[in-house]
């Protein structure tokens, strides 16, 4: 599958967001990734529904909204989810996962299930038929700038095998966390095809978004 890039807006320059979005349009970003946090499922807060809506008015790049909140079903309506969006909810965050994924599908968006580094793959086995993508957290969620949890590389590989063996060849694997130029190549080799690009790549210090995008594309070709 052709690889896609999803720059993580929590790592953008929040005081020059318009300028960064312009650059992300120029490099042909496939999605804009929003981390939505609640201070409970993860120990941090970041972006919220008003910013998501404002960015949606500003650009045609599809949105990739990653809910790192407890009971995301309580908050979905705040986000004005649209056709073409990719919406991830964590298997650890809700009791009625199947219902929630179907609700996201009914809104016209692509549902994805996310899992933390410590969550085993069998936890998502029953919903593989309900999703367009699986988001593999490659760091513990909540903060940018963390180091890769190495065991997740093998997990990506096993997930690709599991999806293929069940006939889900079109289901994508998204990776999120320390997707550096170096790690991205390893993740690609393991079977990932959507890359959340944060402080480790697209927004790396000392490099423009254009330069970083070229370098990232090289490593995930
Ligand atoms: C984790 C976040 C991070 C971030 C990506 O909760 O989702 O993955 O946006 O950026 P870096 O490259 O800093 O891990
Ligand atoms: Zn994320």
């Amino acid at each position: 599958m052709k690889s896609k890039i999803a720059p993580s807006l929590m790592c953008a320059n929040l005081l020059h967001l318009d300028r960064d979005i312009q650059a992300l349009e120029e490099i042909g970003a496939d999605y804009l990734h929003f981390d939505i946090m609640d201070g409970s499922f993860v120990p941090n807060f970041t972006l919220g529904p008003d910013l998501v809506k404002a960015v949606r008015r500003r650009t045609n790049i599809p949105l990739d909204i990653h809910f790192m909140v407890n009971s995301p079903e309580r908050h979905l309506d705040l986000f004005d989810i649209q056709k073409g969006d990719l919406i991830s909810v964590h298997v650890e965050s809700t009791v009625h996962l199947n219902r929630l994924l179907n609700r996201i599908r009914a809104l016209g968006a692509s549902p994805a299930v996310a899992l933390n580094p410590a969550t085993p793959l069998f936890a998502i086995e029953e919903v593989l038929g309900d999703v367009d993508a699986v988001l593999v957290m490659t760091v513990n969620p909540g903060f940018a700038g963390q180091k890769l949890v190495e065991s997740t590389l093998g997990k990506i590989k096993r997930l690709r095998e599991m999806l293929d063996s069940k006939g889900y060849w079109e289901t994508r694997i998204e990776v999120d966390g320390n997707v550096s130029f170096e790690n991205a190549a390893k993740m690609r080799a393991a079977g990932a095809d959507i890359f959340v690009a944060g402080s480790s790549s697209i927004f790396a210090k000392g490099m423009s978004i254009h330069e970083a995008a070229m370098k990232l594309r090289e490593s995930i070709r």
Side-chain angles (χ1 to χ4, degrees):
M1 254 180 291
K2 192 174 174 293
S3 54
K4 296 190 176 205
I5 298 180
S8 177
L9 284 206
M10 75 178 272
C11 301
N13 187 331
L14 296 181
L15 296 180
H16 293 284
L17 197 52
D18 191 67
R19 192 190 64 191
D20 280 6
I21 291 171
Q22 177 68 36
L24 296 173
E25 286 180 336
E26 286 164 12
I27 61 124
D30 297 285
Y31 290 104
L32 294 180
H33 184 89
F34 286 85
D35 286 312
I36 308 298
M37 307 189 186
D38 65 352
S40 170
F41 182 74
V42 291
N44 196 5
F45 297 94
T46 43
L47 315 172
D50 290 349
L51 184 74
V52 172
K53 288 182 199 164
V55 172
R56 191 194 288 289
R57 286 194 294 272
R58 161 69 177 79
T59 182
N60 290 323
I61 304 176
L63 307 189
D64 167 19
I65 308 178
H66 176 195
F67 286 94
M68 304 183 201
V69 305
N70 281 317
S71 305
E73 62 276 3
R74 290 184 298 153
H75 309 295
L76 228 50
D77 290 340
L78 289 174
F79 288 82
D80 186 28
I81 288 166
Q82 306 266 328
K83 197 163 175 277
D85 291 348
L86 179 63
I87 306 295
S88 305
V89 292
H90 273 260
V91 57
E92 307 89 354
S93 70
T94 184
V95 178
H96 301 291
L97 183 59
N98 169 274
R99 175 184 288 153
L100 179 56
L101 294 168
N102 290 334
R103 193 174 142 204
I104 293 167
R105 175 87 66 200
L107 292 169
S110 285
V113 63
L115 67 177
N116 288 332
T119 304
L121 288 176
F122 69 74
I124 59 165
E125 226 178 293
E126 301 301 323
V127 297
L128 293 180
D130 303 315
V131 297
D132 292 342
V134 177
L135 189 162
V136 177
M137 283 305 312
T138 44
V139 300
N140 287 294
F143 299 93
Q146 303 183 85
K147 203 176 159 297
L148 175 75
V149 176
E150 292 279 346
S151 62
T152 59
L153 291 174
K155 190 180 190 180
I156 296 164
K157 190 162 181 286
R158 281 182 286 118
L159 172 60
R160 189 67 266 163
E161 288 163 3
M162 180 170 150
L163 289 168
D164 290 347
S165 74
K166 292 177 188 289
Y168 298 117
W169 302 289
E170 301 292 313
T171 305
R172 289 185 167 270
I173 299 181
E174 179 172 17
V175 282
D176 187 5
N178 196 201
V179 182
S180 63
F181 305 113
E182 200 187 338
N183 291 337
K186 295 180 193 169
M187 293 163 174
R188 178 66 175 161
D193 44 69
I194 303 177
F195 299 82
V196 177
S199 69
S200 315
S201 63
I202 286 273
F203 300 107
K205 285 207 172 69
M207 205 184 277
S208 73
I209 288 176
H210 292 80
E211 289 164 342
M214 272 205 301
K215 199 167 172 194
L216 180 60
R217 285 232 162 80
E218 289 274 289
S219 51
I220 59 177
R221 237 198 333 229

